Amino acid sequence: MRGTRWSLEDRQKAWNLRRSGKTLEQIGLALNRSVASVNTCLQAMKQEHQSRKRPCLCCRRLFHSAGAHNRLCPLCARRSISPYAP
Ligand SMILES: [Zn+2]
């Protein structure tokens, strides 16, 4: 299985196993992949998860959010910081 691309299904499985508290070794065994491969996949998924696009609460434009706390696009966030700007 070395070098095999991760299918969406396997990625989801690895993600769910990790969330249920399994170690990288256990996930690797379950999916027949190396620990390094599992680790790389989960890191990539974590980044995607954290920086996914969200609609701005203010202008509704999609933007890359840094996380659940980040709900305003950069333009609106700046506007809310300086309320006297035009
Ligand atoms: Zn906005």
PDB file of all heavy atoms in Angstrom, residues 29-65:
ATOM      1  N   LEU A  29      -2.503   0.584  11.498  1.00  0.00           N
ATOM      2  CA  LEU A  29      -2.832  -0.846  11.419  1.00  0.00           C
ATOM      3  C   LEU A  29      -4.217  -1.050  10.820  1.00  0.00           C
ATOM      4  O   LEU A  29      -4.419  -1.906   9.962  1.00  0.00           O
ATOM      5  CB  LEU A  29      -2.797  -1.465  12.819  1.00  0.00           C
ATOM      6  CG  LEU A  29      -1.425  -1.904  13.330  1.00  0.00           C
ATOM      7  CD1 LEU A  29      -1.515  -2.373  14.776  1.00  0.00           C
ATOM      8  CD2 LEU A  29      -0.865  -3.019  12.455  1.00  0.00           C
ATOM      9  N   ALA A  30      -5.170  -0.243  11.256  1.00  0.00           N
ATOM     10  CA  ALA A  30      -6.551  -0.396  10.801  1.00  0.00           C
ATOM     11  C   ALA A  30      -6.673  -0.132   9.299  1.00  0.00           C
ATOM     12  O   ALA A  30      -7.472  -0.766   8.611  1.00  0.00           O
ATOM     13  CB  ALA A  30      -7.464   0.540  11.573  1.00  0.00           C
ATOM     14  N   LEU A  31      -5.873   0.823   8.790  1.00  0.00           N
ATOM     15  CA  LEU A  31      -5.996   1.202   7.382  1.00  0.00           C
ATOM     16  C   LEU A  31      -4.858   0.641   6.539  1.00  0.00           C
ATOM     17  O   LEU A  31      -4.752   0.937   5.350  1.00  0.00           O
ATOM     18  CB  LEU A  31      -6.032   2.731   7.259  1.00  0.00           C
ATOM     19  CG  LEU A  31      -7.230   3.400   7.948  1.00  0.00           C
ATOM     20  CD1 LEU A  31      -7.123   4.902   7.844  1.00  0.00           C
ATOM     21  CD2 LEU A  31      -8.526   2.924   7.331  1.00  0.00           C
ATOM     22  N   ASN A  32      -3.981  -0.154   7.167  1.00  0.00           N
ATOM     23  CA  ASN A  32      -2.860  -0.763   6.461  1.00  0.00           C
ATOM     24  C   ASN A  32      -1.955   0.293   5.826  1.00  0.00           C
ATOM     25  O   ASN A  32      -1.617   0.232   4.643  1.00  0.00           O
ATOM     26  CB  ASN A  32      -3.375  -1.737   5.399  1.00  0.00           C
ATOM     27  CG  ASN A  32      -2.283  -2.682   4.928  1.00  0.00           C
ATOM     28  OD1 ASN A  32      -1.305  -2.903   5.640  1.00  0.00           O
ATOM     29  ND2 ASN A  32      -2.430  -3.212   3.733  1.00  0.00           N
ATOM     30  N   ARG A  33      -1.584   1.296   6.630  1.00  0.00           N
ATOM     31  CA  ARG A  33      -0.691   2.360   6.152  1.00  0.00           C
ATOM     32  C   ARG A  33       0.370   2.632   7.200  1.00  0.00           C
ATOM     33  O   ARG A  33       0.217   2.258   8.364  1.00  0.00           O
ATOM     34  CB  ARG A  33      -1.488   3.639   5.891  1.00  0.00           C
ATOM     35  CG  ARG A  33      -2.403   3.526   4.689  1.00  0.00           C
ATOM     36  CD  ARG A  33      -3.201   4.788   4.523  1.00  0.00           C
ATOM     37  NE  ARG A  33      -4.212   4.606   3.490  1.00  0.00           N
ATOM     38  CZ  ARG A  33      -3.988   4.796   2.192  1.00  0.00           C
ATOM     39  NH1 ARG A  33      -2.804   5.153   1.777  1.00  0.00           N
ATOM     40  NH2 ARG A  33      -4.951   4.607   1.316  1.00  0.00           N
ATOM     41  N   SER A  34       1.438   3.293   6.775  1.00  0.00           N
ATOM     42  CA  SER A  34       2.505   3.599   7.707  1.00  0.00           C
ATOM     43  C   SER A  34       2.087   4.741   8.644  1.00  0.00           C
ATOM     44  O   SER A  34       1.212   5.543   8.316  1.00  0.00           O
ATOM     45  CB  SER A  34       3.774   4.005   6.943  1.00  0.00           C
ATOM     46  OG  SER A  34       3.585   5.256   6.342  1.00  0.00           O
ATOM     47  N   VAL A  35       2.730   4.791   9.804  1.00  0.00           N
ATOM     48  CA  VAL A  35       2.441   5.848  10.768  1.00  0.00           C
ATOM     49  C   VAL A  35       2.724   7.214  10.151  1.00  0.00           C
ATOM     50  O   VAL A  35       1.952   8.164  10.321  1.00  0.00           O
ATOM     51  CB  VAL A  35       3.295   5.648  12.049  1.00  0.00           C
ATOM     52  CG1 VAL A  35       3.200   6.853  12.958  1.00  0.00           C
ATOM     53  CG2 VAL A  35       2.837   4.397  12.779  1.00  0.00           C
ATOM     54  N   ALA A  36       3.808   7.315   9.391  1.00  0.00           N
ATOM     55  CA  ALA A  36       4.172   8.587   8.766  1.00  0.00           C
ATOM     56  C   ALA A  36       3.089   9.042   7.799  1.00  0.00           C
ATOM     57  O   ALA A  36       2.741  10.223   7.739  1.00  0.00           O
ATOM     58  CB  ALA A  36       5.503   8.443   8.035  1.00  0.00           C
ATOM     59  N   SER A  37       2.548   8.088   7.044  1.00  0.00           N
ATOM     60  CA  SER A  37       1.501   8.399   6.073  1.00  0.00           C
ATOM     61  C   SER A  37       0.237   8.889   6.779  1.00  0.00           C
ATOM     62  O   SER A  37      -0.386   9.868   6.368  1.00  0.00           O
ATOM     63  CB  SER A  37       1.208   7.161   5.230  1.00  0.00           C
ATOM     64  OG  SER A  37       0.179   7.421   4.306  1.00  0.00           O
ATOM     65  N   VAL A  38      -0.120   8.204   7.865  1.00  0.00           N
ATOM     66  CA  VAL A  38      -1.299   8.598   8.646  1.00  0.00           C
ATOM     67  C   VAL A  38      -1.104  10.004   9.206  1.00  0.00           C
ATOM     68  O   VAL A  38      -1.992  10.855   9.134  1.00  0.00           O
ATOM     69  CB  VAL A  38      -1.548   7.598   9.803  1.00  0.00           C
ATOM     70  CG1 VAL A  38      -2.622   8.115  10.745  1.00  0.00           C
ATOM     71  CG2 VAL A  38      -1.943   6.239   9.256  1.00  0.00           C
ATOM     72  N   ASN A  39       0.098  10.232   9.727  1.00  0.00           N
ATOM     73  CA  ASN A  39       0.400  11.526  10.329  1.00  0.00           C
ATOM     74  C   ASN A  39       0.289  12.656   9.299  1.00  0.00           C
ATOM     75  O   ASN A  39      -0.332  13.683   9.550  1.00  0.00           O
ATOM     76  CB  ASN A  39       1.813  11.490  10.917  1.00  0.00           C
ATOM     77  CG  ASN A  39       2.089  12.709  11.769  1.00  0.00           C
ATOM     78  OD1 ASN A  39       1.205  13.206  12.450  1.00  0.00           O
ATOM     79  ND2 ASN A  39       3.311  13.186  11.719  1.00  0.00           N
ATOM     80  N   THR A  40       0.861  12.445   8.117  1.00  0.00           N
ATOM     81  CA  THR A  40       0.816  13.452   7.058  1.00  0.00           C
ATOM     82  C   THR A  40      -0.627  13.757   6.661  1.00  0.00           C
ATOM     83  O   THR A  40      -1.015  14.914   6.522  1.00  0.00           O
ATOM     84  CB  THR A  40       1.577  12.952   5.804  1.00  0.00           C
ATOM     85  OG1 THR A  40       2.892  12.581   6.193  1.00  0.00           O
ATOM     86  CG2 THR A  40       1.642  14.034   4.743  1.00  0.00           C
ATOM     87  N   CYS A  41      -1.412  12.710   6.520  1.00  0.00           N
ATOM     88  CA  CYS A  41      -2.808  12.867   6.123  1.00  0.00           C
ATOM     89  C   CYS A  41      -3.593  13.658   7.168  1.00  0.00           C
ATOM     90  O   CYS A  41      -4.328  14.587   6.839  1.00  0.00           O
ATOM     91  CB  CYS A  41      -3.442  11.495   5.922  1.00  0.00           C
ATOM     92  SG  CYS A  41      -5.212  11.573   5.619  1.00  0.00           S
ATOM     93  N   LEU A  42      -3.411  13.297   8.432  1.00  0.00           N
ATOM     94  CA  LEU A  42      -4.169  13.953   9.498  1.00  0.00           C
ATOM     95  C   LEU A  42      -3.754  15.419   9.646  1.00  0.00           C
ATOM     96  O   LEU A  42      -4.598  16.284   9.900  1.00  0.00           O
ATOM     97  CB  LEU A  42      -3.966  13.211  10.825  1.00  0.00           C
ATOM     98  CG  LEU A  42      -4.700  11.864  10.908  1.00  0.00           C
ATOM     99  CD1 LEU A  42      -4.365  11.158  12.206  1.00  0.00           C
ATOM    100  CD2 LEU A  42      -6.204  12.072  10.798  1.00  0.00           C
ATOM    101  N   GLN A  43      -2.466  15.703   9.477  1.00  0.00           N
ATOM    102  CA  GLN A  43      -1.999  17.089   9.559  1.00  0.00           C
ATOM    103  C   GLN A  43      -2.665  17.938   8.472  1.00  0.00           C
ATOM    104  O   GLN A  43      -3.110  19.049   8.716  1.00  0.00           O
ATOM    105  CB  GLN A  43      -0.475  17.153   9.391  1.00  0.00           C
ATOM    106  CG  GLN A  43       0.317  16.610  10.572  1.00  0.00           C
ATOM    107  CD  GLN A  43       0.088  17.385  11.848  1.00  0.00           C
ATOM    108  OE1 GLN A  43      -0.082  18.598  11.817  1.00  0.00           O
ATOM    109  NE2 GLN A  43       0.063  16.689  12.976  1.00  0.00           N
ATOM    110  N   ALA A  44      -2.709  17.378   7.255  1.00  0.00           N
ATOM    111  CA  ALA A  44      -3.309  18.092   6.131  1.00  0.00           C
ATOM    112  C   ALA A  44      -4.798  18.333   6.393  1.00  0.00           C
ATOM    113  O   ALA A  44      -5.320  19.419   6.132  1.00  0.00           O
ATOM    114  CB  ALA A  44      -3.111  17.295   4.841  1.00  0.00           C
ATOM    115  N   MET A  45      -5.478  17.307   6.934  1.00  0.00           N
ATOM    116  CA  MET A  45      -6.911  17.446   7.204  1.00  0.00           C
ATOM    117  C   MET A  45      -7.169  18.487   8.288  1.00  0.00           C
ATOM    118  O   MET A  45      -8.133  19.245   8.224  1.00  0.00           O
ATOM    119  CB  MET A  45      -7.488  16.104   7.637  1.00  0.00           C
ATOM    120  CG  MET A  45      -7.633  15.132   6.493  1.00  0.00           C
ATOM    121  SD  MET A  45      -8.512  13.641   6.985  1.00  0.00           S
ATOM    122  CE  MET A  45     -10.213  14.224   7.000  1.00  0.00           C
ATOM    123  N   LYS A  46      -6.283  18.504   9.268  1.00  0.00           N
ATOM    124  CA  LYS A  46      -6.426  19.445  10.375  1.00  0.00           C
ATOM    125  C   LYS A  46      -6.348  20.881   9.838  1.00  0.00           C
ATOM    126  O   LYS A  46      -7.130  21.740  10.226  1.00  0.00           O
ATOM    127  CB  LYS A  46      -5.299  19.196  11.377  1.00  0.00           C
ATOM    128  CG  LYS A  46      -5.597  19.656  12.775  1.00  0.00           C
ATOM    129  CD  LYS A  46      -4.540  19.061  13.686  1.00  0.00           C
ATOM    130  CE  LYS A  46      -4.460  19.821  14.999  1.00  0.00           C
ATOM    131  NZ  LYS A  46      -3.289  19.370  15.783  1.00  0.00           N
ATOM    132  N   GLN A  47      -5.391  21.092   8.942  1.00  0.00           N
ATOM    133  CA  GLN A  47      -5.223  22.428   8.358  1.00  0.00           C
ATOM    134  C   GLN A  47      -6.439  22.830   7.541  1.00  0.00           C
ATOM    135  O   GLN A  47      -6.916  23.953   7.637  1.00  0.00           O
ATOM    136  CB  GLN A  47      -3.970  22.472   7.488  1.00  0.00           C
ATOM    137  CG  GLN A  47      -2.722  22.697   8.314  1.00  0.00           C
ATOM    138  CD  GLN A  47      -1.495  22.900   7.445  1.00  0.00           C
ATOM    139  OE1 GLN A  47      -1.578  22.822   6.227  1.00  0.00           O
ATOM    140  NE2 GLN A  47      -0.365  23.136   8.085  1.00  0.00           N
ATOM    141  N   GLU A  48      -6.924  21.879   6.728  1.00  0.00           N
ATOM    142  CA  GLU A  48      -8.126  22.159   5.929  1.00  0.00           C
ATOM    143  C   GLU A  48      -9.288  22.513   6.840  1.00  0.00           C
ATOM    144  O   GLU A  48     -10.043  23.445   6.599  1.00  0.00           O
ATOM    145  CB  GLU A  48      -8.518  20.933   5.116  1.00  0.00           C
ATOM    146  CG  GLU A  48      -7.720  20.746   3.858  1.00  0.00           C
ATOM    147  CD  GLU A  48      -8.064  19.414   3.194  1.00  0.00           C
ATOM    148  OE1 GLU A  48      -9.208  18.952   3.360  1.00  0.00           O
ATOM    149  OE2 GLU A  48      -7.180  18.845   2.545  1.00  0.00           O
ATOM    150  N   HIS A  49      -9.390  21.731   7.907  1.00  0.00           N
ATOM    151  CA  HIS A  49     -10.483  21.904   8.844  1.00  0.00           C
ATOM    152  C   HIS A  49     -10.434  23.284   9.496  1.00  0.00           C
ATOM    153  O   HIS A  49     -11.453  23.940   9.682  1.00  0.00           O
ATOM    154  CB  HIS A  49     -10.386  20.820   9.907  1.00  0.00           C
ATOM    155  CG  HIS A  49     -11.617  20.651  10.733  1.00  0.00           C
ATOM    156  ND1 HIS A  49     -12.768  20.096  10.241  1.00  0.00           N
ATOM    157  CD2 HIS A  49     -11.883  20.967  12.018  1.00  0.00           C
ATOM    158  CE1 HIS A  49     -13.681  20.074  11.183  1.00  0.00           C
ATOM    159  NE2 HIS A  49     -13.179  20.600  12.279  1.00  0.00           N
ATOM    160  N   GLN A  50      -9.225  23.704   9.833  1.00  0.00           N
ATOM    161  CA  GLN A  50      -9.077  24.959  10.563  1.00  0.00           C
ATOM    162  C   GLN A  50      -9.191  26.180   9.664  1.00  0.00           C
ATOM    163  O   GLN A  50      -9.534  27.256  10.126  1.00  0.00           O
ATOM    164  CB  GLN A  50      -7.718  24.977  11.280  1.00  0.00           C
ATOM    165  CG  GLN A  50      -7.730  24.114  12.527  1.00  0.00           C
ATOM    166  CD  GLN A  50      -6.371  24.010  13.165  1.00  0.00           C
ATOM    167  OE1 GLN A  50      -5.372  24.335  12.547  1.00  0.00           O
ATOM    168  NE2 GLN A  50      -6.340  23.549  14.403  1.00  0.00           N
ATOM    169  N   SER A  51      -8.855  26.028   8.388  1.00  0.00           N
ATOM    170  CA  SER A  51      -8.846  27.200   7.528  1.00  0.00           C
ATOM    171  C   SER A  51      -9.850  27.052   6.397  1.00  0.00           C
ATOM    172  O   SER A  51      -9.557  27.270   5.256  1.00  0.00           O
ATOM    173  CB  SER A  51      -7.447  27.418   6.947  1.00  0.00           C
ATOM    174  OG  SER A  51      -7.138  26.379   6.064  1.00  0.00           O
ATOM    175  N   ARG A  52     -11.048  26.606   6.727  1.00  0.00           N
ATOM    176  CA  ARG A  52     -12.012  26.461   5.651  1.00  0.00           C
ATOM    177  C   ARG A  52     -12.746  27.781   5.421  1.00  0.00           C
ATOM    178  O   ARG A  52     -12.763  28.658   6.275  1.00  0.00           O
ATOM    179  CB  ARG A  52     -12.975  25.328   5.945  1.00  0.00           C
ATOM    180  CG  ARG A  52     -13.913  25.596   7.090  1.00  0.00           C
ATOM    181  CD  ARG A  52     -15.086  24.648   6.971  1.00  0.00           C
ATOM    182  NE  ARG A  52     -16.003  24.877   8.070  1.00  0.00           N
ATOM    183  CZ  ARG A  52     -16.459  23.912   8.852  1.00  0.00           C
ATOM    184  NH1 ARG A  52     -16.051  22.691   8.678  1.00  0.00           N
ATOM    185  NH2 ARG A  52     -17.305  24.180   9.812  1.00  0.00           N
ATOM    186  N   LYS A  53     -13.377  27.849   4.275  1.00  0.00           N
ATOM    187  CA  LYS A  53     -14.049  29.097   3.928  1.00  0.00           C
ATOM    188  C   LYS A  53     -15.369  29.223   4.667  1.00  0.00           C
ATOM    189  O   LYS A  53     -16.127  28.271   4.751  1.00  0.00           O
ATOM    190  CB  LYS A  53     -14.283  29.155   2.421  1.00  0.00           C
ATOM    191  CG  LYS A  53     -13.060  29.533   1.655  1.00  0.00           C
ATOM    192  CD  LYS A  53     -13.380  29.770   0.202  1.00  0.00           C
ATOM    193  CE  LYS A  53     -12.184  30.316  -0.529  1.00  0.00           C
ATOM    194  NZ  LYS A  53     -12.457  30.507  -1.954  1.00  0.00           N
ATOM    195  N   ARG A  54     -15.623  30.407   5.173  1.00  0.00           N
ATOM    196  CA  ARG A  54     -16.886  30.680   5.853  1.00  0.00           C
ATOM    197  C   ARG A  54     -17.458  31.966   5.281  1.00  0.00           C
ATOM    198  O   ARG A  54     -16.718  32.845   4.862  1.00  0.00           O
ATOM    199  CB  ARG A  54     -16.640  30.918   7.346  1.00  0.00           C
ATOM    200  CG  ARG A  54     -16.110  29.743   8.097  1.00  0.00           C
ATOM    201  CD  ARG A  54     -15.703  30.194   9.486  1.00  0.00           C
ATOM    202  NE  ARG A  54     -15.005  29.140  10.202  1.00  0.00           N
ATOM    203  CZ  ARG A  54     -15.613  28.172  10.884  1.00  0.00           C
ATOM    204  NH1 ARG A  54     -16.912  28.144  10.954  1.00  0.00           N
ATOM    205  NH2 ARG A  54     -14.920  27.254  11.498  1.00  0.00           N
ATOM    206  N   PRO A  55     -18.781  32.091   5.327  1.00  0.00           N
ATOM    207  CA  PRO A  55     -19.362  33.361   4.897  1.00  0.00           C
ATOM    208  C   PRO A  55     -19.189  34.403   6.005  1.00  0.00           C
ATOM    209  O   PRO A  55     -19.396  34.096   7.174  1.00  0.00           O
ATOM    210  CB  PRO A  55     -20.830  33.027   4.673  1.00  0.00           C
ATOM    211  CG  PRO A  55     -21.084  31.809   5.490  1.00  0.00           C
ATOM    212  CD  PRO A  55     -19.780  31.091   5.670  1.00  0.00           C
ATOM    213  N   CYS A  56     -18.824  35.599   5.619  1.00  0.00           N
ATOM    214  CA  CYS A  56     -18.677  36.679   6.588  1.00  0.00           C
ATOM    215  C   CYS A  56     -20.048  37.012   7.189  1.00  0.00           C
ATOM    216  O   CYS A  56     -21.047  37.079   6.474  1.00  0.00           O
ATOM    217  CB  CYS A  56     -18.087  37.901   5.880  1.00  0.00           C
ATOM    218  SG  CYS A  56     -18.119  39.373   6.889  1.00  0.00           S
ATOM    219  N   LEU A  57     -20.098  37.199   8.491  1.00  0.00           N
ATOM    220  CA  LEU A  57     -21.371  37.492   9.158  1.00  0.00           C
ATOM    221  C   LEU A  57     -21.892  38.859   8.751  1.00  0.00           C
ATOM    222  O   LEU A  57     -23.079  39.145   8.873  1.00  0.00           O
ATOM    223  CB  LEU A  57     -21.177  37.471  10.679  1.00  0.00           C
ATOM    224  CG  LEU A  57     -21.165  36.099  11.352  1.00  0.00           C
ATOM    225  CD1 LEU A  57     -21.059  36.272  12.851  1.00  0.00           C
ATOM    226  CD2 LEU A  57     -22.417  35.330  11.007  1.00  0.00           C
ATOM    227  N   CYS A  58     -21.004  39.706   8.302  1.00  0.00           N
ATOM    228  CA  CYS A  58     -21.371  41.087   7.988  1.00  0.00           C
ATOM    229  C   CYS A  58     -21.767  41.264   6.528  1.00  0.00           C
ATOM    230  O   CYS A  58     -22.886  41.663   6.238  1.00  0.00           O
ATOM    231  CB  CYS A  58     -20.196  41.989   8.352  1.00  0.00           C
ATOM    232  SG  CYS A  58     -20.575  43.718   8.188  1.00  0.00           S
ATOM    233  N   CYS A  59     -20.876  40.900   5.601  1.00  0.00           N
ATOM    234  CA  CYS A  59     -21.164  41.141   4.181  1.00  0.00           C
ATOM    235  C   CYS A  59     -21.483  39.852   3.420  1.00  0.00           C
ATOM    236  O   CYS A  59     -21.805  39.883   2.247  1.00  0.00           O
ATOM    237  CB  CYS A  59     -19.983  41.854   3.527  1.00  0.00           C
ATOM    238  SG  CYS A  59     -18.493  40.851   3.409  1.00  0.00           S
ATOM    239  N   ARG A  60     -21.377  38.691   4.095  1.00  0.00           N
ATOM    240  CA  ARG A  60     -21.729  37.385   3.538  1.00  0.00           C
ATOM    241  C   ARG A  60     -20.801  36.900   2.431  1.00  0.00           C
ATOM    242  O   ARG A  60     -21.104  35.929   1.750  1.00  0.00           O
ATOM    243  CB  ARG A  60     -23.173  37.367   3.022  1.00  0.00           C
ATOM    244  CG  ARG A  60     -24.166  37.791   4.050  1.00  0.00           C
ATOM    245  CD  ARG A  60     -25.306  36.794   4.123  1.00  0.00           C
ATOM    246  NE  ARG A  60     -26.117  37.053   5.312  1.00  0.00           N
ATOM    247  CZ  ARG A  60     -26.144  36.265   6.359  1.00  0.00           C
ATOM    248  NH1 ARG A  60     -25.434  35.182   6.386  1.00  0.00           N
ATOM    249  NH2 ARG A  60     -26.880  36.558   7.401  1.00  0.00           N
ATOM    250  N   ARG A  61     -19.683  37.557   2.260  1.00  0.00           N
ATOM    251  CA  ARG A  61     -18.721  37.060   1.285  1.00  0.00           C
ATOM    252  C   ARG A  61     -17.953  35.901   1.898  1.00  0.00           C
ATOM    253  O   ARG A  61     -17.674  35.905   3.088  1.00  0.00           O
ATOM    254  CB  ARG A  61     -17.731  38.166   0.917  1.00  0.00           C
ATOM    255  CG  ARG A  61     -18.122  38.877  -0.334  1.00  0.00           C
ATOM    256  CD  ARG A  61     -17.172  39.938  -0.745  1.00  0.00           C
ATOM    257  NE  ARG A  61     -15.870  39.932  -0.062  1.00  0.00           N
ATOM    258  CZ  ARG A  61     -14.898  40.761  -0.375  1.00  0.00           C
ATOM    259  NH1 ARG A  61     -15.069  41.646  -1.319  1.00  0.00           N
ATOM    260  NH2 ARG A  61     -13.767  40.726   0.274  1.00  0.00           N
ATOM    261  N   LEU A  62     -17.589  34.878   1.059  1.00  0.00           N
ATOM    262  CA  LEU A  62     -16.797  33.762   1.557  1.00  0.00           C
ATOM    263  C   LEU A  62     -15.358  34.218   1.734  1.00  0.00           C
ATOM    264  O   LEU A  62     -14.809  34.922   0.912  1.00  0.00           O
ATOM    265  CB  LEU A  62     -16.850  32.594   0.569  1.00  0.00           C
ATOM    266  CG  LEU A  62     -18.151  31.800   0.543  1.00  0.00           C
ATOM    267  CD1 LEU A  62     -18.073  30.708  -0.513  1.00  0.00           C
ATOM    268  CD2 LEU A  62     -18.442  31.175   1.888  1.00  0.00           C
ATOM    269  N   PHE A  63     -14.776  33.813   2.835  1.00  0.00           N
ATOM    270  CA  PHE A  63     -13.369  34.130   3.068  1.00  0.00           C
ATOM    271  C   PHE A  63     -12.748  32.988   3.860  1.00  0.00           C
ATOM    272  O   PHE A  63     -13.451  32.178   4.454  1.00  0.00           O
ATOM    273  CB  PHE A  63     -13.233  35.453   3.815  1.00  0.00           C
ATOM    274  CG  PHE A  63     -13.667  35.373   5.262  1.00  0.00           C
ATOM    275  CD1 PHE A  63     -12.732  35.348   6.286  1.00  0.00           C
ATOM    276  CD2 PHE A  63     -15.008  35.294   5.574  1.00  0.00           C
ATOM    277  CE1 PHE A  63     -13.129  35.258   7.609  1.00  0.00           C
ATOM    278  CE2 PHE A  63     -15.413  35.200   6.902  1.00  0.00           C
ATOM    279  CZ  PHE A  63     -14.482  35.183   7.916  1.00  0.00           C
ATOM    280  N   HIS A  64     -11.411  32.928   3.867  1.00  0.00           N
ATOM    281  CA  HIS A  64     -10.720  31.883   4.614  1.00  0.00           C
ATOM    282  C   HIS A  64     -10.702  32.236   6.088  1.00  0.00           C
ATOM    283  O   HIS A  64     -10.027  33.171   6.502  1.00  0.00           O
ATOM    284  CB  HIS A  64      -9.294  31.706   4.091  1.00  0.00           C
ATOM    285  CG  HIS A  64      -9.229  30.826   2.899  1.00  0.00           C
ATOM    286  ND1 HIS A  64      -9.430  29.467   2.978  1.00  0.00           N
ATOM    287  CD2 HIS A  64      -9.016  31.096   1.592  1.00  0.00           C
ATOM    288  CE1 HIS A  64      -9.318  28.948   1.783  1.00  0.00           C
ATOM    289  NE2 HIS A  64      -9.083  29.905   0.911  1.00  0.00           N
ATOM    290  N   SER A  65     -11.459  31.479   6.856  1.00  0.00           N
ATOM    291  CA  SER A  65     -11.532  31.733   8.288  1.00  0.00           C
ATOM    292  C   SER A  65     -10.417  30.999   9.014  1.00  0.00           C
ATOM    293  O   SER A  65     -10.087  29.877   8.685  1.00  0.00           O
ATOM    294  CB  SER A  65     -12.875  31.271   8.825  1.00  0.00           C
ATOM    295  OG  SER A  65     -12.874  31.278  10.227  1.00  0.00           O
TER     296      SER A  65
END
